[in-house]
Amino acid sequence: MGPRGLVFTAFLLLVAAGADAHGDKQALEQPPDFDTRVLARVNDAVITGRDFHRAFDALGADQQLMVRRNVRKFLETLVQREVLYQAALRAGLDRDPDVIARLADIRRAVLSQELLHRERAEAARAAPPDAARRYYDAHREEFTTTERISVSHILVKTREEADAVVARLRGGADFAALAQEVSRDDASRDRGGRIPVVYRGQMSRELEAAAFALTPGQLSGVVQDADGYHVLVLHGHVPAAPTPFESVRTSIERRLAATQLDQHLKDVIATLARQAHIEMTEGALGDVR
């Protein structure tokens, strides 16, 4: 076996030993009798299709793809794992106190993960089928696009200046060129006064009332607010509109599932903790850093 094969074997051995088997994985494509097939023998032990299947399910999606490309290599990996396991037993490692403690930790983790997995499945089954629709109907504002406009403005200091701007515009002056010439608004002057997107609530009360009342292409009169005197021209107006339910259904379902699962697991753990006798020694961690 070359270096790449060794890397493949070592990596998959580690992953198969420590991965969570309940991720979002693809099922192994297999014939009906695969689980009962004897795929290999190592001394008195046999490796069956069920063993292969279980080890495959424990891998992540990327590692599963590697296995699909070379299933025989993965069987060789399982054979090597069994060889190592039998050698460890002959060496008495199963009686080593540290190994026994580590195995107990692994057993505890696997059983805890399996309980959580089953609780996840129970929470998913308990979710009302119309939950997404009911959430959508109850939170319409969340799925409604905000009304917005595109506008240009010229800001000057006095009413006389503003009246002069209006007169020049009605006489045929170019709005953008005039804004670059006389506007006091540093943020928009170099863009010819253009403000590409303005949502309701972003402008002063006086400007908003005037701007949102215009029709595209219409020039306003003089509008005064705390900043000075404005002259506006509207380029476009997009009214508020609801996003169709089917466009957001999947995202709502995912959000609700995550929220409900989180709450369900918190409730389960809280209930189990209340039923258990728990004592935490005060001060036991006081000198731990």
Side-chain angles (χ1 to χ4, degrees):
M1 178 182 295
R4 290 185 63 187
L6 287 171
V7 171
F8 180 95
T9 299
F11 183 65
L12 291 185
L13 275 170
L14 291 172
V15 173
D20 177 6
H22 301 303
D24 187 13
K25 318 286 180 59
Q26 293 184 2
L28 181 67
E29 298 177 9
Q30 62 183 53
D33 67 336
F34 180 72
D35 279 357
T36 60
R37 292 182 185 178
V38 174
L39 307 183
R41 297 180 185 273
V42 181
N43 297 320
D44 294 333
V46 296
I47 297 174
T48 66
R50 183 175 292 107
D51 298 322
F52 188 101
H53 194 171
R54 187 183 304 113
F56 178 85
D57 285 346
L59 298 175
D62 291 342
Q63 288 74 46
Q64 287 183 343
L65 181 60
M66 293 171 61
V67 170
R68 290 181 188 279
R69 291 171 177 168
N70 195 335
V71 292
R72 181 175 179 82
K73 181 68 70 176
F74 190 56
L75 177 57
E76 291 175 2
T77 297
L78 299 183
V79 168
Q80 291 165 14
R81 183 174 68 175
E82 181 62 29
V83 167
L84 290 170
Y85 173 69
Q86 292 183 19
L89 292 179
R90 290 195 299 271
L93 296 184
D94 58 323
R95 298 187 298 276
D96 181 282
D98 182 58
V99 173
I100 292 173
R102 287 159 57 195
L103 287 173
D105 288 340
I106 293 172
R107 182 174 184 272
R108 183 176 288 106
V110 169
L111 289 174
S112 299
Q113 289 174 359
E114 182 60 28
L115 177 62
L116 289 177
H117 170 65
R118 296 187 182 195
E119 290 294 343
R120 288 190 186 98
E122 179 62 28
R125 286 193 294 270
D130 62 339
R133 182 76 215 196
R134 288 194 284 120
Y135 183 92
Y136 176 86
D137 290 339
H139 299 82
R140 289 283 184 153
E141 71 288 348
E142 184 179 338
F143 305 103
T144 299
T145 59
T146 305
E147 184 181 12
R148 61 193 185 273
I149 58 173
S150 176
V151 67
S152 290
H153 84 132
I154 296 173
L155 172 65
V156 292
K157 188 174 183 179
T158 68
R159 176 68 192 228
E160 291 74 16
E161 291 175 295
D163 287 338
V165 166
V166 171
R168 291 178 64 180
L169 290 171
R170 288 177 177 167
D174 179 74
F175 194 103
L178 188 55
Q180 290 175 328
E181 178 186 339
V182 303
S183 181
R184 298 176 62 246
D185 181 19
D186 294 335
S188 66
R189 182 177 55 241
D190 291 341
R191 297 195 303 268
R194 185 71 175 257
I195 307 175
V197 180
V198 180
Y199 295 97
R200 278 206 181 268
Q202 291 185 320
M203 307 175 82
S204 69
R205 179 173 53 84
E206 297 85 356
L207 275 183
E208 180 174 291
F212 279 81
L214 297 172
T215 57
Q218 184 180 2
L219 183 69
S220 74
V222 176
V223 182
Q224 182 183 5
D225 70 0
D227 293 327
Y229 296 84
H230 305 258
V231 179
L232 310 165
V233 64
L234 186 71
H235 302 294
H237 185 173
V238 179
T243 302
F245 172 68
E246 290 303 326
S247 299
V248 294
R249 179 175 183 169
T250 299
S251 64
I252 295 175
E253 289 175 342
R254 288 174 179 169
R255 186 193 314 174
L256 291 180
T259 301
Q260 292 165 357
L261 173 61
D262 181 64
Q263 187 59 51
H264 178 74
L265 293 183
K266 285 180 180 178
D267 292 343
V268 168
I269 293 171
T271 299
L272 294 174
R274 284 195 300 269
Q275 294 171 347
H277 178 71
I278 300 173
E279 293 183 3
M280 299 181 69
T281 305
E282 293 294 331
L285 298 176
D287 56 352
V288 177
R289 297 289 185 272

